[in-house]
Amino acid sequence: SIATMVGCPCGSDRFRVLILGLGAGELHMYLLSHFPCAEVTSVEISEDIFRSSQQLLGLRHGVCRARRYLRETGGFEDVGGVEGARAGQACRSEVVISDAWDFIQQQAESSISTGQYDLITCDVYDAAATRWNGNQDTVSSPHVDRASSDAALAHIRSLVRPGVGLAVFHLHYDRQFDWYYEQIKAVFGADQVALFAVASNDFQVVA
């Protein structure tokens, strides 16, 4: 698993994680539950998915701040419906409602955010980026082209803490796989990238 692969340096004060693609919230909650030093921000494009994960999938008591990123202004607005941080405690768990690549660009252009994350995970392709045709072969949409652009990958690289941080990309083996894998190697450096099979057609690329 990602958490096992990376571990957590809890001798340090902070271990900052950015999850691109909240989904059901399992990784978000796992990191909070097992690593007390973790500060987790998940980015999810759909507020409906976030609310479903709160009501049905275990995030009900796991988020102390929820904000929507406003692309037009570059600012944020609270979306409510979360408990907030406990008295005397910092907020360790945040969800941002946003297109992942808009948020990544905003973070990369902020000097405060450069090199701030110890771990970035990227799992935003499947629902928005692929569909199944009659031959059960995945067909990639234009969203993959945007996600795979050198600029988006360079933004992710700039946000990872130099020397110790990792970026982990969850990919399915489809007709875009080889091309996207080569894009990651080109941006991060081929000698800095490792490929792990996690299921028959699922892979994690660690950079």
Side-chain angles (χ1 to χ4, degrees):
S1 70
I2 290 174
T4 302
M5 190 187 311
V6 175
C8 181
C10 280
S12 63
D13 293 332
R14 308 170 78 191
F15 183 74
R16 301 200 65 183
V17 181
L18 177 62
I19 299 172
L20 303 177
L22 172 69
E26 296 103 324
L27 180 59
H28 188 112
M29 290 304 301
Y30 182 92
L31 291 169
L32 288 174
S33 299
H34 289 78
F35 303 120
C37 64
E39 298 177 8
V40 184
T41 297
S42 287
V43 181
E44 173 56 54
I45 195 170
S46 169
E47 186 172 346
D48 289 340
I49 289 178
F50 168 49
R51 297 306 181 193
S52 294
S53 69
Q54 282 185 296
Q55 296 167 13
L56 304 172
L57 302 171
L59 272 184
R60 184 174 302 173
H61 305 294
V63 178
C64 56
R65 181 168 59 201
R67 301 184 294 168
R68 179 180 291 104
Y69 173 60
L70 306 174
R71 181 181 180 186
E72 295 77 11
T73 65
F76 294 85
E77 65 178 11
D78 289 334
V79 299
V82 296
E83 295 179 336
R86 296 180 179 178
Q89 295 185 2
C91 180
R92 297 176 47 231
S93 173
E94 176 184 32
V95 170
V96 176
I97 306 301
S98 173
D99 178 278
W101 310 113
D102 289 342
F103 182 77
I104 280 292
Q105 182 175 0
Q106 183 272 340
Q107 291 282 284
E109 292 174 352
S110 169
S111 58
I112 298 175
S113 301
T114 302
Q116 71 168 326
Y117 293 105
D118 298 282
L119 171 65
I120 298 178
T121 72
C122 187
D123 189 7
V124 295
Y125 309 102
D126 304 336
T130 60
R131 61 180 174 83
W132 294 95
N133 65 19
N135 297 320
Q136 292 190 341
D137 186 18
T138 53
V139 180
S140 297
S141 78
H143 190 80
V144 170
D145 294 333
R146 186 180 177 198
S148 315
S149 70
D150 289 346
L153 290 172
H155 287 335
I156 291 175
R157 183 180 182 186
S158 74
L159 294 174
V160 174
R161 192 149 65 99
V164 294
L166 292 176
V168 180
F169 302 85
H170 182 200
L171 303 180
H172 286 303
Y173 191 83
D174 62 12
R175 64 183 63 183
Q176 293 279 356
F177 177 87
D178 290 336
W179 174 73
Y180 190 73
Y181 182 45
E182 292 301 318
Q183 291 284 96
I184 295 173
K185 290 195 294 184
V187 171
F188 285 85
D191 61 338
Q192 301 297 315
V193 175
L195 179 66
F196 298 88
V198 295
S200 59
N201 286 312
D202 283 344
F203 294 84
Q204 287 178 353
V205 181
V206 180

